[in-house]
Amino acid sequence: MDRFRTIIEPFRIHAVEPIRITTREERAAAVEAAGWNLFALHADDVLIDLLTDSGTGAMSRDQWAAIQHGDESYAGSPSWFVFLESVTELWPFRHVIPTHQGRAAERILFSVIGGAGKVIPNNTHFDTTRANVEATGAEAVDLVIAEGRDPAAIHPFKGNVDVAALESLLAARAADVPVVFVTVTNNSGGGQPVSLENLRAVRAVCDRFGVPLFLDACRFAENAWFIKAREPGQADRAIPDIVREMAALADGMTMSAKKDGLANIGGWLATNDDALAEACRNVLILTEGFPTYGGLTGRDLEAIAQGLREVVQDDYLRYRIRSTAYLGEALDAAGVPLVKPFGGHAIYLDARALLPHIPALQYPGQALAVALYVEGGIRGCEIGTVMFGRHPDGTETPASMDLVRLAIPRRTYTQSHIDYVIEVVGAVASRASELRGFRMVEPQPAALRHFTARFEPLS
Ligand code: F0G
């Protein structure tokens, strides 16, 4: 296989979903009606949807077959035991608590262990993780290595935790730290992996201060593939083996099965701590459901169980990581500024570098995301000053970066779809100086404004 350069999708198409070809005029009208906010579009008006890789992938024939086995018993469903066996095959934690998605696991965990005066370190908190920490009054601290904050810095494990910074935080405040988190891969830092060596070092520091270590494991299989490909001594290991070593280094995890569960919905919280599990199950019953289904149907549990068996296969992961890099390499060759090295699930365009004539407070990421939609019907996601620029006191400052994330749904688009994306991004980049910024319509939404804000183009 390695003799040939073409990336073969390791599947053939079994059921097709039509996508609707629109004209430039139709798209210009649709985005204007949406207040120039791509979240407000009808998805029917989108040709290639790269808004997120969460819950948007294709399920396999065997997942759809597993759905037919779904048993909807309220308590003790056989589907629960199928799910539990599949989860613990990779993540042998004593307690597994199913939830409807990742943020539900976060909410339950932090409502039990968070609270005012507490501080939660992470390499980089994902936005829902940070929001769930802060909602309890606790403080969320990001401690990724310095390379992880520089879009152009090349490092094989740019998601690694700054162990010295963690050590000094714990030396000063260990009693206030109920858990240390590591996000694999580090989504908010560009989908960058964490090495086993770094996880071992974090574990050693946690042990020294008696603090548990949890993983936010949404993209664990992609992280394990990067370990196999990049970490000395790991090349010959099987992916499930690497995953089990990640599990052995942790005391628990939160998970969104919408990513490396290869499912459209679902998640879980896992821990080895009996008292913590009991407290979390009590919250679960209040808000999500009985402990053998969480917020899920039996058929969802079956789809996740099968997804977990598929996501750790070499053919799938080789294709997954290579096909994402293929998009990055082509855009890089075309001179489009990008976050490097390329992450596992997405390519991040550096809108601030591409559009230096648009000040950050006129939202270069928004300008680029809208242009990609109008030009070719591609929907990406601004990750920049629109998303992070507003502060609780109502003031606004530039975010640290203005990026547009092109997230790749799993097993959904073919290489020709991606070739089309490459052409469209190239066409927009070649007329970058013509793009104009945006103004946000007042009054702005009070929180998470990027989801519902409306914009006006500046002339
Ligand atoms: N943690 C990480 C690292 C995530 O990327 C996400 C979701 C979550 C937690 C929350 O999981 O959506 O199931 O509640 N990320 C999606 C994204 C939404 O587009 O990156 P959830």
Side-chain angles (χ1 to χ4, degrees):
M1 285 293 276
D2 287 337
R3 273 204 302 144
F4 302 109
R5 293 196 57 240
T6 305
I7 304 157
I8 300 282
E9 289 88 5
F11 49 81
R12 52 188 182 188
I13 293 165
H14 171 72
V16 298
E17 223 184 322
I19 50 180
R20 199 165 73 85
I21 312 279
T22 50
T23 64
R24 190 175 221 287
E25 291 66 38
E26 286 170 331
R27 293 190 294 270
V31 77
E32 180 172 357
W36 284 276
N37 185 333
L38 302 182
F39 282 99
L41 288 169
H42 289 237
D44 258 1
D45 294 331
V46 176
L47 187 64
I48 309 277
D49 203 347
L50 308 183
L51 186 65
T52 179
D53 65 320
S54 180
T56 52
M59 289 204 294
S60 68
R61 171 191 66 189
D62 294 339
Q63 284 179 290
W64 285 108
I67 277 176
Q68 292 296 327
H69 287 269
D71 177 295
E72 305 306 337
S73 302
Y74 187 91
S77 158
S79 299
W80 154 251
F81 293 102
V82 169
F83 169 85
L84 184 63
E85 189 184 333
S86 188
V87 171
T88 52
E89 173 74 21
L90 295 169
W91 302 97
F93 291 118
R94 199 146 66 229
H95 303 279
V96 177
I97 298 174
T99 60
H100 79 276
Q101 59 185 87
R103 68 197 70 181
E106 293 165 359
R107 203 198 75 81
I108 290 169
L109 178 67
F110 294 122
S111 72
V112 172
I113 64 171
K118 299 283 171 61
V119 50
I120 317 286
N122 202 324
N123 43 358
T124 313
H125 288 82
F126 180 65
D127 59 7
T128 61
T129 323
R130 171 173 288 276
N132 275 300
V133 167
E134 291 175 350
T136 71
E139 189 189 344
V141 178
D142 292 341
L143 298 178
V144 72
I145 55 171
E147 290 89 338
R149 274 179 252 120
D150 173 359
I154 301 296
H155 185 288
F157 292 101
K158 233 173 145 173
N160 280 356
V161 175
D162 181 338
V163 178
L166 177 66
E167 203 163 359
S168 46
L169 174 73
L170 290 177
R173 299 190 59 185
D176 299 332
V177 180
V179 66
V180 170
F181 252 85
V182 180
T183 304
V184 295
T185 57
N186 193 26
N187 180 16
S188 303
Q192 302 292 330
V194 177
S195 68
L196 279 176
E197 184 189 29
N198 188 251
L199 283 177
R200 287 188 204 111
V202 170
R203 170 84 246 176
V205 173
C206 287
D207 283 346
R208 194 131 37 83
F209 292 93
V211 175
L213 170 62
F214 270 52
L215 300 178
D216 174 344
C218 297
R219 298 177 180 84
F220 71 86
E222 293 174 10
N223 199 87
W225 183 264
F226 281 120
I227 287 172
K228 184 178 166 80
R230 294 182 184 170
E231 189 157 351
Q234 302 298 322
D236 295 331
R237 288 181 76 183
I239 293 293
D241 223 43
I242 295 174
V243 175
R244 281 188 288 266
E245 182 171 348
M246 289 160 62
L249 289 165
D251 300 292
M253 68 190 293
T254 55
M255 176 70 191
S256 168
K258 302 173 75 169
K259 285 82 168 176
D260 278 350
L262 299 181
N264 300 127
I265 197 72
W268 68 85
L269 168 64
T271 172
N272 286 329
D273 180 329
D274 299 341
L276 176 63
E278 191 189 337
C280 289
R281 282 203 183 96
N282 289 337
V283 182
L284 181 86
I285 291 170
L286 278 182
T287 58
E288 292 273 306
F290 190 73
T292 61
Y293 73 87
L296 299 168
T297 64
R299 57 182 173 271
D300 297 324
L301 294 167
E302 296 270 359
I304 296 165
Q306 178 59 24
L308 291 173
R309 290 191 277 269
E310 295 174 12
V311 78
V312 292
Q313 292 172 6
D314 281 7
D315 286 349
Y316 162 73
L317 283 169
R318 183 181 297 109
Y319 142 79
R320 172 71 175 158
I321 301 302
R322 263 304 294 144
S323 57
T324 302
Y326 174 82
L327 171 59
E329 284 162 11
L331 295 179
D332 191 34
V336 178
L338 307 168
V339 174
K340 289 197 262 183
F342 309 124
H345 70 294
I347 296 298
Y348 295 69
L349 312 180
D350 186 345
R352 192 176 290 174
L354 182 67
L355 307 172
H357 60 288
I358 302 181
L361 295 182
Q362 295 179 11
Y363 313 133
Q366 189 67 17
L368 179 57
V370 167
L372 294 175
Y373 174 70
V374 174
E375 187 82 23
I378 296 164
R379 175 159 69 170
C381 183
E382 193 266 9
I383 300 193
T385 303
V386 173
M387 193 178 272
F388 298 121
R390 176 94 169 279
H391 308 291
D393 64 2
T395 59
E396 190 176 22
T397 55
S400 61
M401 297 187 266
D402 278 294
L403 306 176
V404 173
R405 183 181 77 170
L406 303 179
I408 318 291
R410 293 170 181 76
R411 307 188 292 197
T412 301
Y413 293 114
T414 64
Q415 187 170 332
S416 55
H417 290 120
I418 296 301
D419 284 336
Y420 171 83
V421 172
I422 292 163
E423 275 193 74
V424 172
V425 176
V428 169
S430 70
R431 56 173 191 83
S433 64
E434 295 166 25
L435 267 53
R436 293 290 170 263
F438 283 89
R439 195 174 72 72
M440 205 176 283
V441 173
E442 300 290 342
Q444 299 180 11
L448 295 173
R449 63 180 184 167
H450 54 285
F451 288 126
T452 53
R454 296 179 70 83
F455 298 86
E456 275 169 8
L458 296 164
S459 52

